[in-house]
């Protein structure tokens, strides 16, 4: 089955009792048993719930996975993966990863004896050099935020395989429409469903998918034991959102390209970070492992002044100044003072987060209006 058909049909069936075409919101905590141990497959909604199960099957299908699990947030999904490790285990991670993932790794899990090594993964050899007998996991985020570096997933999978470690990929930015890490050798894929999968900025949720039965059993055991599950109402909203994922992504890519090219030609704009440019340092890898380049773009201003960046993000009228990404509406952000504010200036500048850096999550409005908006804000 192809992607658009799966987005609409995978995991969902007309309701058996009424024929309702949309999966009902099973807003229930428990299920009546006919006799002791005699039930219809559901006992308690932390363990499983029919609305959530439908969504878990749907997201798994989109990533060509057998098993899926949904959580109360993207970070709760990452938390579940790290809980599969033991004290003394080591993780090699992308260095310019999502700030919340960095905070979870360093302020929660290091305390429990898990060690994290952060490195620029565009150079595969720097990853191989960090492997030792305690290495149990490689954590990859690609494209990275906000400078859109691309990491070669197949190369990371080969290092993980050689070192008996599991490879997890945070696929939030690319979405399953543009990139399928399991097909490239990853063991687990994580999504902040909050972003493109939900797509309408109305839900916070996370997901994990895998084809490895042993990892899946651990995933469901931790999901049930720690209890950070997604609720039925949110699961319904995301099932609805995913039905248009393929259409939305086509438009995000189309608008992203138009805006990246507009910015590239603007005299007040210095660097534009978008993996679709042939001049992007990892363009060849992006071309190899992604079906399109998405709607996430960052750029800097000539002169690199903080107040110039503030003036642009405050003058836009259609773009909304906000954190998050991946919704139908366009957002604009200033990483140095918003998403990356907790990182010391010297550290953030090493990964390209300079004072004038502006990040766009290009939505699915009419591109001409978005370009006009940026044009007046830059003027
Ligand atoms: C937002 C985000 C997360 C965290 O997800 P939440 O749903 O906010 O908990 C993780 N990784 C990436 C790349 C994200 O953009």
């Amino acid at each position: 089955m192809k992607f658009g058909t799966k987005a609409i049909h995978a995991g969902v069936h007309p309701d058996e009792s009424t024929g309702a075409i949309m999966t009902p919101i099973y807003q229930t905590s428990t299920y009546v048993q006919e006799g002791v141990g005699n039930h219809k497959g559901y006992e308690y909604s932390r363990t499983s719930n029919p609305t959530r199960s439908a969504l878990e099957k749907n997201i798994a299908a989109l990533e060509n996975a057998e098993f899926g699990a949904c959580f109360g947030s993207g970070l709760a999904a990452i938390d579940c993966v790290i809980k599969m490790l033991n004290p003394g285990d080591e993780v090699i991670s992308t260095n310019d990863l999502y700030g919340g993932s960095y905070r979870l790794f360093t302020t929660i899990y290091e305390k429990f004896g898990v060690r994290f090594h952060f490195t620029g993964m565009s150079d595969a050899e720097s990853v191989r050099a960090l492997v030792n007998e305690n290495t149990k996991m490689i954590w990859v985020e690609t494209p990275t935020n906000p400078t859109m570096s691309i990491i070669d997933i197949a190369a990371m999978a080969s290092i993980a395989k050689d070192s008996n470690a599991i490879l997890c990929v945070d696929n939030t930015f690319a979405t399953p429409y543009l990139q399928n890490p399991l097909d490239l050798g990853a063991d687990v894929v994580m999504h902040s469903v909050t972003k493109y999968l939900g797509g309408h900025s109305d839900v916070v949720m996370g997901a994990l998918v895998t084809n490895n039965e042993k990892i899946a059993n651990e995933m469901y055991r931790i999901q049930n034991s720690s209890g950070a599950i997604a609720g039925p109402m949110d699961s319904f909203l995301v099932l609805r959102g995913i039905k248009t994922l393929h259409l939305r992504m086509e438009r995000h890519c189309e608008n992203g390209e138009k805006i990246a090219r507009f910015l590239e030609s603007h005299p007040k704009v210095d660097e534009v970070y978008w993996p679709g440019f042939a001049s992007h340092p990892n363009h060849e890898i992006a071309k190899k492992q992604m079906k399109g380049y998405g709607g996430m773009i960052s750029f800097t201003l000539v002169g690199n002044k903080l107040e110039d960046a503030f003036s642009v993000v405050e003058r836009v009228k259609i773009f909304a100044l906000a954190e998050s990404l991946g919704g139908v509406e366009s957002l604009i952000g200033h990483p140095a003072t918003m998403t990356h504010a907790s990182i010391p200036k010297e550290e953030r500048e090493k990964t390209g987060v300079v004072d004038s850096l502006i990040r766009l999550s290009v939505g699915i409005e009419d591109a001409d209006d978005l370009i006009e908006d940026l044009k007046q804000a830059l003027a």
Side-chain angles (χ1 to χ4, degrees), residues 73-75 98 141 170 172-173 190 192 194-195 204-205 325:
S73 69
L75 284 175
Y98 179 71
E141 189 179 313
D170 180 338
T172 302
F173 267 42
M190 173 264 157
S192 170
T194 313
K195 316 294 169 51
V204 173
M205 191 190 288
L325 61 113

